[in-house]
Every structure is written in C-alpha cells, then in structure tokens.
C-alpha cells in the first residue's frame, strides 16, 4: 500500500453519468475504465489497488466483490465498526444508529467504502477506497457511486481515530486471513 498524500480528485467509472457530477470545478475529474460511477479520492482515504489473477481462484465477479466487501468489514470490526453489505448496492455501509431515523422508520445508511473494478482476462485492476479521515465535504461535488439517497461517512465521523499505518496493518492482516 502506497503512502503519501494524494491530491483531491474525482474519478468517473464506466457507468458515470454527467448528472452525478454536481461541481465540475472543485477538483480535477478523471475518467477511468473501472466499473462504477463517480467517486472522490483524496487525503484521509486508504485506496488499495487489488490486482489478482482470478483464473487461479473462482472466475466469478460477484464473489470477488463480496470477498472485497467482507475484507473491508473484517478490517472495520477491528476498530469496533459494524460495516454491512447491501444486496442492491456495492460497497460497505454503516447503519447510523447515532442519528435520527428516516421518515420510513429505518436508520440512515452511509457509505464508508467504495469498490471499483476492471477485469481483463480475469485479472483484476483498480480496487477499493475506505474513508478513514477525509474531508467529507469534498463528496458534495458528486453523487457518490450514483447513490443519491445516501450519505458518506468515515472512521473519524464515527468517532474512531486511527492512523493510516494502523489501518494498513489491520487491512493487510485481514486480507491474509481471508484470501486463501
């Protein structure tokens, strides 16, 4: 995992729609060939490129995405955060029991981690993005991942202070436990 502080930017995947780019002038916008829609990348996030040969495992995109989601969830658990998978949405979600319920009587859900992949000959490219301590206002220039009815959160927003190094250790440890 690379260290350093990347500049803030927006990336648009293969499914990105112009209507989801709300502010074209805040940050540079880069079109990519990964799956997914618009997302933000910048300081305070852990971005990990997951390049694996799925020919040596199961050639199933959905199973691979579920593995990535479970990997992120296991890592978040080390910091007492309960991440969740939603069958109709990609990424990792947090039920905000610390916030008022929505009008429908359900807890507000916010995204803490995004997944954007590209597969070529069953080799994966691109990867995951987890919000550790980004400026959450930077997400306001896009509809993140096209999920306009949901917010975005981070470990810091959830009251957890963690260094990137400590998060990286947990991320690596959980990858080694889960990827067999």
């Amino acid at each position: 995992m690379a260290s350093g502080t990347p500049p803030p930017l927006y990336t648009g995947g293969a499914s990105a729609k112009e209507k989801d780019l709300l502010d074209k002038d805040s940050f540079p916008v880069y079109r990519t060939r990964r799956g997914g829609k618009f997302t933000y990348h910048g300081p305070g996030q852990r971005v990990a490129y997951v390049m694996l040969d799925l020919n040596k495992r199961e050639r199933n995109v959905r199973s691979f995405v579920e593995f990535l989601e479970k990997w992120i969830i296991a890592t978040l658990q080390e910091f007492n955060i309960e991440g969740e998978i939603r069958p109709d949405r990609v990424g990792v979600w947090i039920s905000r029991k610390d916030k008022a319920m929505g009008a429908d009587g359900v807890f507000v859900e916010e995204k803490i981690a995004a997944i954007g992949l590209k597969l070529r000959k069953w080799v994966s490219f691109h990867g995951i993005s987890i919000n550790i301590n980004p400026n959450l206002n930077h997400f306001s220039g896009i509809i993140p991942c096209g999920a306009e009815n949901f917010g975005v959160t981070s470990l810091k927003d959830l009251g957890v202070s963690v260094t990137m190094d400590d998060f990286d250790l947990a991320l690596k440890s959980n990858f080694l436990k889960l990827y067999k």
Side-chain angles (χ1 to χ4, degrees), residues 95-144:
S95 291
R96 293 301 302 260
K97 297 176 177 130
D98 60 326
K99 293 187 174 184
M101 287 186 179
D104 56 2
V106 177
F107 289 109
V108 171
E109 293 182 347
E110 295 177 332
K111 193 169 198 172
I112 195 165
I115 297 172
L117 299 172
K118 170 80 174 171
L119 294 177
R120 189 177 320 133
K121 297 182 181 180
W122 292 102
V123 175
S124 65
F125 295 87
H126 299 281
I128 63 173
S129 175
I130 306 163
N131 297 327
I132 310 299
N133 181 19
N135 181 339
L136 294 178
N137 292 327
H138 289 178
F139 286 90
S140 66
I142 58 171
I143 297 175

Side-chain angles (χ1 to χ4, degrees), residues 2-167:
S3 62
T5 304
L9 56 91
Y10 296 130
T11 62
S15 302
K17 296 179 180 148
E18 278 306 308
K19 69 177 184 68
D20 292 342
L21 181 57
L22 305 175
D23 183 351
K24 297 175 173 77
D25 300 321
S26 292
F27 304 113
V29 178
Y30 295 94
R31 296 294 182 155
T32 69
R33 293 183 180 170
R34 66 163 167 76
K37 299 183 181 185
F38 282 106
T39 193
Y40 164 79
H41 295 297
Q45 284 186 320
R46 173 49 69 221
V47 175
Y49 279 42
V50 185
M51 296 181 286
L52 298 171
D53 185 351
L54 299 184
N55 287 299
K56 297 180 180 179
R57 300 196 37 93
E58 182 181 15
R59 292 169 76 177
N60 182 314
V61 176
R62 186 66 215 146
S63 290
F64 183 56
V65 169
E66 287 175 2
F67 161 75
L68 295 173
E69 291 168 332
K70 289 175 183 174
W71 172 36
I72 294 165
I73 288 170
T75 303
L76 292 172
Q77 284 175 342
E78 296 213 12
F79 303 98
N80 297 314
I81 294 175
E82 185 180 336
E84 301 173 354
I85 296 172
R86 294 291 175 259
D88 58 335
R89 293 179 248 143
V90 174
V92 177
W93 300 84
I94 304 294
S95 291
R96 293 301 302 260
K97 297 176 177 130
D98 60 326
K99 293 187 174 184
M101 287 186 179
D104 56 2
V106 177
F107 289 109
V108 171
E109 293 182 347
E110 295 177 332
K111 193 169 198 172
I112 195 165
I115 297 172
L117 299 172
K118 170 80 174 171
L119 294 177
R120 189 177 320 133
K121 297 182 181 180
W122 292 102
V123 175
S124 65
F125 295 87
H126 299 281
I128 63 173
S129 175
I130 306 163
N131 297 327
I132 310 299
N133 181 19
N135 181 339
L136 294 178
N137 292 327
H138 289 178
F139 286 90
S140 66
I142 58 171
I143 297 175
C145 304
E148 60 188 318
N149 297 320
F150 301 95
V152 178
T153 191
S154 66
L155 276 82
K156 181 179 182 183
D157 188 47
L158 295 168
V160 176
S161 179
V162 61
T163 67
M164 284 292 188
D165 288 341
D166 287 343
F167 192 84

Side-chain angles (χ1 to χ4, degrees), residues 160-177:
V160 176
S161 179
V162 61
T163 67
M164 284 292 188
D165 288 341
D166 287 343
F167 192 84
D168 287 348
L169 288 172
L171 200 59
K172 181 180 178 182
S173 170
N174 281 290
F175 184 88
L176 295 173
K177 287 179 199 171

